[in-house]
Amino acid sequence: MTTEAVTIITGSSRGIGRTTAELLAQRGHRVVVSSRNQDSCEAVADDIRSAGGHAIAIACHVGHEDQLEALIEKTVAEWGQLNHLVLNAASNPVYGPSHQVDQEAFDVIMHNNVFSGMRLSHLAREHLARQPQSSVVFVSSIAGLLGNRVIGAYGLSKAAENQLVRNLALEFGADGIRVNGVAPGLIRTDFSKALLADERAVKHFEQTTPLQRIGEPEDIARVIAFLVSQDSAWLSGQVITADGGITVTGGF
Ligand code: NAP
């Protein structure tokens, strides 16, 4: 498949975002690699260009309004259009029960994971509306579907992201913009490094996941590639759970 689509992926210097940028570039997207660190984005964009793809690097801390505005403005200045927005960057500063979540941490989580995705979608809307078959994809989590003792505030933000997908699908539909999400289960990235360092936990996840393994970034990148493609032309307002089946186990 070839496409000239211009696609921004937030948080794409590592993990799921990086793999998504690489896969979309392989499929002909002109990708904008973005994270807080310009040098690490440049390195990923260089690798993509070396592999024959089209990529630019624009640093953007999703918690900062001026950087969100600059991300959209610089993308359109460079490539003249914007077709897809993949909202992948997220913050999770607390690992522990809810009494450990102070207001500052709560505000960071909700701001970076929820408000910023909504704000960036609005900043992108006029550009997306000019393109046929444009879309927004939120990278959520199964933490937004299940109770959790240690990443509960993060889960709250992911549940809110799922609702944002539904709300924006309604608001943006009139402009022909589809809005969807993917809710990954456990994926092998830096984000889950601490958990995956615990051999017993890994064994437990492997045994309880119907597909009997830990997810890889490619497992999610392929779902995102589907959601920005015309294969999902009739999907909007949906969050696809991609977790090897773990959310349907019910503990038995
Ligand atoms: P990761 O490997 O830690 O990568 C995170 C990426 O986001 C990096 O490029 C990081 O680069 C960037 N980033 C972090 N904070 C940022 C900020 N404030 N502004 C802009 N960029 C920022 O994480 P991942 O596992 O790929 O996670 C990606 C998404 O998947 C997140 O939305 C996460 O909630 C979701 N998810 C992950 C898992 C999992 O098990 N890994 C499961 C479910 C859902 P810099 O540090 O250089 O900014």
Side-chain angles (χ1 to χ4, degrees), residues 62-237:
V62 296
H64 296 184
E65 171 76 19
D66 56 335
Q67 296 185 31
L68 295 178
E69 288 171 8
L71 176 60
I72 302 296
E73 281 165 16
K74 287 180 185 170
T75 298
V76 175
E78 177 72 20
W79 274 326
Q81 68 190 66
L82 176 62
N83 301 72
H84 305 286
L85 183 59
V86 179
L87 299 158
N88 169 73
S91 300
N92 182 26
V94 181
Y95 190 85
S98 55
H99 71 262
Q100 291 179 6
V101 182
D102 61 20
Q103 187 172 351
E104 191 184 346
F106 188 86
D107 288 348
V108 166
I109 292 168
M110 296 305 279
H111 185 91
N112 291 356
N113 300 0
V114 185
F115 180 77
S116 298
M118 184 171 72
R119 185 73 189 119
L120 197 55
S121 299
H122 281 291
L123 290 168
R125 182 177 181 168
E126 63 171 301
H127 303 289
L128 297 173
R130 287 193 196 111
Q131 303 303 320
Q133 300 154 3
S134 54
S135 70
V136 178
V137 177
F138 282 81
V139 180
S140 178
S141 170
I142 62 168
L145 305 173
L146 303 168
N148 198 297
R149 291 182 181 86
V150 286
I151 52 170
Y154 165 82
L156 274 175
S157 75
K158 293 295 175 177
E161 272 189 53
N162 296 346
Q163 182 60 21
L164 198 48
V165 165
R166 293 183 279 268
N167 294 347
L168 292 182
L170 291 186
E171 293 188 36
F172 286 21
D175 289 335
I177 304 164
R178 299 183 299 109
V179 183
N180 291 296
V182 55
L186 184 62
I187 304 295
R188 200 183 306 276
T189 68
D190 287 352
F191 205 74
S192 55
K193 202 163 53 183
L195 187 59
L196 293 176
D198 179 346
E199 273 179 37
R200 276 180 48 203
V202 169
K203 206 165 230 126
H204 173 75
F205 277 110
E206 286 171 347
Q207 282 167 353
T208 51
T209 300
L211 291 180
Q212 304 268 293
R213 65 174 175 84
I214 306 298
E216 300 294 337
E218 291 76 11
D219 292 315
I220 306 307
R222 287 194 204 99
V223 179
I224 296 169
F226 165 67
L227 289 173
V228 299
S229 80
Q230 278 310 287
D231 289 341
S232 62
W234 196 229
L235 261 74
S236 198

